[in-house]
Amino acid sequence: MARRPTIKDIARQAGVSESAVSFALNDRPGVSQDTRARIRRVAEELGWQPNSAARALSGERSGAVGLVLARPAHTLGVESFFLQLVSGIQEVLSAARTALLFQVVEDIDAECAVYRRWWAERRVDGVIVVDPRTQDPRPELLGQLALPAVAVGSAESSATLSSVRADDAGAMAQVLDHLHGLGHRRIVHIAGLPGLAHTARRMESLRTEAARRGLGPDQVRSVVTDYSDAEGAAATRRVLAEPAPPTALVYDNDVMAVAGSAVAAELGIPVPGRLSIVAWDDSALCRVTHPRLTALVRDTAGFGRLAAGELLAVLAGGPPGVRESERPRLEPRESTAPPAAHTEF
């Protein structure tokens, strides 16, 4: 294997002392601008990179931030949201020459254990926290560790925790406006994982918006799933088999919406003739399914860029705070229409 270039190699090729190389690469005074530029040019030609472990032990930054996902592994491979989120995060971190340390774990306890280990090993300078819970131990732990963090989807901030969030309530209001305006009065929300803060916000917003329109819990309600296509399909079968089935279904992600559309086709229920479908997150799946699915369009990669930018700002000494992403926009397509006069299945 090729040997990693060292400061000694840079000094030899640049014709300077090792101390001059150290001054130049660490932005310290002691060398002229011309010498500094020559040393950095040689370092780049040799492919030299700082040793993050050594920098951490010396009290400097590690040059990395962490992201841990505590979700069922089988739900991650088919959902586009996290891929787009991570691409946005990576776009900002790459420009800042900051690495992303990524790990998937079984549950929230395992996630907290990862944070403790990373902190003890000085592996990361900060973390991006996803899937805030209604009862969440992570903000307190990160505060105790004094580990800077940005929570994606939270409305809270603290001395060490910033947050970026989407307007879930406003998005749900758009969905209800659309479906209610079409004439739907029996609507079921096929929600995601219970206990997640954004799931709770969406369910609460659904109840509030339904009540504002004079619709009770017997007409508009939520059922929870794990975000997978299997549970989305199972929930669809259950609600469509009820004596008074819904005329419209709102799914918390694109994968469940497509699975629900397939179930309707299997049962001989035309979409949108007798059943309207809305997906929370737009994706290529929504646009290639027949009929194309009405969906909430948002810049998920932009959400990731916002989170990464906020964390880098905090690491640079900025104050933690709450930042709002662009509100999702409902795009009506062929999967929603006024309900049929008779909707018994």
Side-chain angles (χ1 to χ4, degrees), residues 153-154 164-169 201 298 303 323-326 328:
S154 175
V164 295
R165 64 171 190 165
D167 185 1
D168 289 307
R201 284 198 302 270
R298 62 174 168 176
F303 206 18
R323 298 186 66 183
E324 190 91 22
S325 71
E326 182 180 331

Side-chain angles (χ1 to χ4, degrees), residues 146-344:
L147 186 60
V150 172
V152 175
S154 175
E156 301 177 359
S157 65
S158 65
T160 56
L161 181 70
S162 286
S163 69
V164 295
R165 64 171 190 165
D167 185 1
D168 289 307
M172 185 61 83
Q174 289 185 65
V175 173
L176 262 291
D177 277 340
H178 177 63
L179 293 176
H180 188 269
L182 289 173
H184 292 279
R185 300 297 182 266
R186 297 203 304 274
I187 303 167
V188 172
H189 169 215
I190 310 294
L193 288 164
L196 295 185
H198 69 262
T199 301
R201 284 198 302 270
R202 293 176 189 180
M203 293 171 65
E204 176 61 28
S205 177
L206 181 79
R207 289 190 294 268
T208 300
E209 294 298 326
R212 192 164 66 83
R213 295 165 176 81
L215 303 177
D218 58 328
Q219 296 171 286
V220 178
R221 70 187 194 281
S222 300
V223 296
V224 296
T225 69
D226 68 356
Y227 284 111
S228 70
D229 57 331
E231 284 210 17
T236 302
R237 290 182 185 279
R238 287 196 302 271
V239 299
L240 292 181
E242 294 173 352
T247 63
L249 296 175
V250 180
Y251 294 87
D252 255 4
N253 69 9
D254 55 340
V255 173
M256 293 196 297
V258 171
S261 180
V263 168
E266 180 185 331
L267 296 175
I269 301 170
V271 175
R274 291 166 62 191
L275 179 69
S276 286
I277 290 179
V278 177
W280 193 270
D281 280 319
D282 189 30
S283 72
L285 282 177
C286 297
R287 297 188 293 273
V288 301
T289 299
H290 179 74
R292 297 189 308 154
L293 301 183
T294 294
L296 279 163
V297 178
R298 62 174 168 176
D299 183 4
T300 304
F303 206 18
R305 290 192 293 270
L306 186 64
E310 175 66 15
L311 182 56
L312 291 179
V314 170
L315 293 176
V322 177
R323 298 186 66 183
E324 190 91 22
S325 71
E326 182 180 331
R327 176 183 288 188
R329 170 183 55 82
L330 186 70
E331 182 166 323
R333 298 191 181 114
E334 293 90 350
S335 68
T336 51
H342 300 285
T343 55
E344 292 79 4

